[in-house]
Amino acid sequence: MNSEVAAFFSPGDFLAILPEMVIAGMACLLLLVDIAVPRTKKCVVPALAVLSVAVAAWFSYELAGSGVSAFSGMFVLDGYSDFFKLIFYIVAVFAILVSLRYIRTEEIDLGEYYVLLLFSLSGMMIMASGTDLLTIYLGLELASLPVYALVGFLQKSRKSNEAAMKYIILGAFSSAILLYGISLIYGLTGTTQLAAISAALVTGDVNGPLFTLAVIMLVAGFGFKVAGFPFHMWAPDAYEGAPTPITAFMAAGPKAAAFAVIMRVFLEGLYPAYDSWQMAIAAVAVGSMVVGNITAILQTSIKRMLAFSSVGHAGYALLGLVAGSEEGMASVMFYLFVYAFMNLGIFGIVIMMRKDSQSGDQISHYTGLGKSNRLTALAMLIFLFSLAGIPPTAGFIAKFYVFMALINKGMVGLAVIAALMSAVAAYYYIRIVMLMYMREPEKEFALASSRGLLCVLIIALAAVVALGVYPGYFIDLARYAAFPL
Amino acid sequence: MVPVTWYIALSAVLFMIGAAGVLTRRNVIVVLMSIELMLNSVNINFMAFSYMLGDMTGQIFTVFTITVAAAEVAVALGILIALVRSNKTFNVDEIDALKG
Amino acid sequence: MSGHLLSSIIFLPVLGALVLLFIKDARAIRWVALVTLGVDFALAIPLLKGFDVSTHGMQFVERHAWIPSWNITYYLGVDGISVLFVFLTAFLGVICVLASWKAIEKKVKEFMIALLIMQAAMLGVFSSLDMFLFYLFWEAMLIPMYLIIGVWGGPNRVYSAIKFFLYTLAGSILMLVGMIALYFAAGNTFDMLVLMEHKYTFAFQIWVFMAFFVAFAVKVPMFPFHTWLPDAHVEAPTAGSIILAGVLLKMGTYGFLRFCLTMFPDASRFFATPIIVISIVAIIYGAFLALAQKDLKKLVAYSSISHMGFITMGIFLFNKNGIEGAILQMFNHGITTSALFLCIGIIYERTHTRDIGDYGWAASRVPVYATFLFIFALASLGFPGTNGFIGEILIAFGAYEVYKPYLIVLLMGILGGAAYMLYMYKGMAFGADSHGHDGHGDSHGHKVWDVDFREAIALLALIVFVFWVGFHPEDFLGYMHESVGNLINQATASKFEGLGL
């Protein structure tokens, strides 16, 4: 009996999930800490949360490159998962820092907020490392459930509750579709381990209609998680209703995690069936770029606009997956890395605009910002140009890399569509620049800056510029992480 | 002896009923029940395949699915209570503060 | 120092922009900008002096590893074609600061920073030998130019700025796709010299040529892509117009020379006749539209379309006279059109109108100004002794060698140019002075005074080049002989390996 247990779990397995254990354990602990500390000392909880992310990051750094496969091949530590965990750590820390003042302004200053963020972080980490559909599914749910609650965290706001309700219904619906697809894959290949699925696809004859159905369901299920067209309906509502730091977190963190999973599932598990999913993903990618970017033009709320823009960005990133090459993967990873900074940066400014009665939710609220708050407007300008993909910002390099991967595989048509859509996207981004710089302000701006927020903005800005001018190191990192897969 | 295909057919039917329920029903509680139905159809699938393949993974997966589904419903109901407090309705058509 | 001359020229303005961030006083800001660009121009002089005209090879080459994963290098260098434009850009930079000395009153700091960054990007475009670097500079110009038009422009500036931005972005983003296709076709390199040597299939050349063509044609702008130009010019502040007319438009034709002719010679020859035809359309159409304008800036803008038609025609003639004439004409157009916009800016500062009908008193009230304007108008219409004459006559020689009837069209274009320029000058200087002003101001009561010292310096500097090129063109043509000879060799050699359609 003992030897059998030992075959399943070795102490090394627990070493491999040490960072995840730190995050999940600290999340549990913080619930108790939150009760213990007095109301006036609430900053202890976020401080400990940041600390636990730092500790987990340190463990991840120590474990990096070990290539351990733990729990009978259900969980792996490779360059790929390390790269994504790096993104998640950054996003989580940034999300905590930008929340500090915001949640006081909104009077939702509860310790649970940070606890839920940490739980979601641990879920994302499991997603990045999962190599079995079971671990991937569990990670996915662990990452999503806290976010559902966080979206509805503004208990008194009707919008927030509504957003959470829509999000959880559509999220659960998509999980059900995804699970059905997984069950079909399991039935057809007899396994849920990605490597074994891949092997079964090579040897067995599983290209029946049932397999196609399974692939479509997987695409649909994952499509929901990355908010790709036509599964993006939840995104604008959830983005608009959620507390802004959570919107920023959702757009950068769980979305990147969903990409981590998609790439692992499709490029490792289902790669032998590349021909059967390539078209489906390409259709989702093109649809996302077209619909996301064109609908974004029509928006008046900045959070909805950024939601549609993130649909468009998901489309670009999916193109890297369509390319189906290692370069394509590396390009997606680099894209997500850059997107995390741009996204946190621009939402950081939206958060800054929320003070007292001023909401900063509407695009028109930014009218004339360039006149009164030069540095803030300049930062916003750089983030917007980066989102639009204008050099010399990081957003350009990210798009460039995706184009390289596509054209290298001869998919010039898709590259041309993507290029044209980024010209469309430029329109709504520079429209905000125009409002900021070329119109007179309607009223005085009061900005709710805090040290945490400024810190995030400065780092994000530096990263966007530095990755735009000297991207070499991180491209190599993404390649190194993508190539063994 | 019931062939595996019957289970699969049953599961497909349940899944479709569940999906139709999510898309057409207006009461949030009913929508949540429909999602539960979809998840259970998945469970039937897993059990049937597990039985067919003589492999335990499907059964393990089912245990996890049931657990996660319970957690999901708990969160959903929590959000629903908050929503009903501020909105006083169970009808999804009347939940319309967000356009779209 | 000399090893990094090009880098110094490109990045000195950026350094100046950084310094400006910490200066508050508007006067000091103007001086710092002027000194920066003055030094930058001074650096461009050793570039011209040190240039070896006896070779077509790239000179002042700098190369450093940059993004090794994509085999991208920081690779600069100039040949006999680009060296002239580096010089022109550096020169016009100084003129731009002088032109905005008083015209820009709000947000002086931001304006000067945008101007300096713009300057760096333009210099970078002309000296890049790595295509990725080229594209980076090319696109980076969009942001400051968009802001210059949109923030400091005229009443309808926002519309014009967005139109400018979207037109040029849509054009150049296709070039990006073509560029990456080239990268893989030539074996993973963005090195422009390697890309020029490589052979591509004919079908590939056609596709990539078209992708590049759209980008450059929008910038030039060639006939159906020109509609952004009048809007942008009319709304832009004087310095913006000078940059647009003087440098930005040249980038399109420079692109044709550097990329299209050398990398896709077969496709270029394939498309040569259609391009010459639309150039002719642009020449005639631009001239007629210019003749119909009441607004001074619009008139000069349409005249630019006409003049750029001469240049694109010259390029696609594929002979020495045509191409040298085109390059010289690019330089000339940069000088004279900038000078005309500067003249318009000078008078607009006083009267706040650009309607030709509001003038007519220039010769009597501001005689010095009227003299300057007259010289530039003559240069623009190609009067013998001025720079415009040399350029146009060379293009005409080139056209004669290819197909004689082209001459008739050219002649019509030149006559048209004479017509609208003289019409403008007459309107400005000797028009019916029906308003009966009181001797101190214009018809609207604005106070009018003749050119002041600052303006005279700028105008005189421009005039030097008008006559220098006009009387001694060999000083400028000498730089390009070798490079153009090499260019023609590349452009006339058949490069494709089978049809590959």
Side-chain angles (χ1 to χ4, degrees), chain A residues 15 45 120 146 160 206 266 297 335 337 349 354 360 414 428 449 453:
Chain A
L15 187 67
V45 178
S120 180
S160 174
V206 281
F266 283 97
I297 295 176
Y335 201 106
F337 186 70
I349 291 173
R354 173 77 179 93
L414 284 176
Y428 58 83
S449 68
L453 186 56

Side-chain angles (χ1 to χ4, degrees), chain A residues 134 137-138 141 148 158-159 161-162 164-166 168-169 173 179-180 183 186-187 190 192 217 237 240 304, chain B residues 11-12 15 28 35 38-39 45 49 53 55 57-58 64-65 68 72 76 83 86-87 95-99:
Chain A
L134 179 56
Y137 169 69
L138 289 177
E141 290 296 334
Y148 298 144
R158 211 179 127 179
K159 277 187 172 185
N161 289 321
E162 208 181 296
M165 198 69 235
K166 286 182 178 172
I168 192 168
I169 287 178
F173 182 59
L179 270 178
Y180 200 87
S183 74
Y186 170 63
T192 52
M217 287 189 140
D237 288 349
E240 190 184 356
R304 284 185 88 84
Chain B
S11 135
F15 188 82
V28 180
I35 289 174
M38 291 169 77
L39 290 171
N45 246 358
F49 284 131
L53 298 161
D55 178 78
T57 318
F64 277 106
T65 315
V68 170
E72 211 157 43
L83 183 66
S86 66
N87 229 11
I95 302 175
D96 56 2
L98 296 156
K99 59 186 163 137

Side-chain angles (χ1 to χ4, degrees), chain A residues 82-103:
Chain A
D82 292 335
F83 188 90
F84 275 102
K85 281 177 195 171
L86 174 65
I87 299 181
F88 303 152
Y89 293 139
I90 292 170
V91 170
V93 169
F94 278 14
I96 293 168
L97 290 177
V98 296
S99 303
L100 293 173
R101 178 159 177 176
Y102 182 87
I103 62 171

Side-chain angles (χ1 to χ4, degrees), chain C residues 216-258:
Chain C
F216 298 142
V218 167
K219 270 275 198 305
V220 170
M222 290 182 75
F223 165 58
F225 306 102
H226 65 275
T227 60
W228 63 270
L229 182 75
D231 286 313
H233 267 316
V234 168
E235 300 303 331
T238 305
S241 290
I242 292 177
I243 292 176
L244 263 179
V247 186
L248 272 191
L249 306 193
K250 307 301 164 305
M251 296 192 167
T253 41
Y254 174 75
F256 283 135
L257 288 167
R258 178 104 316 159

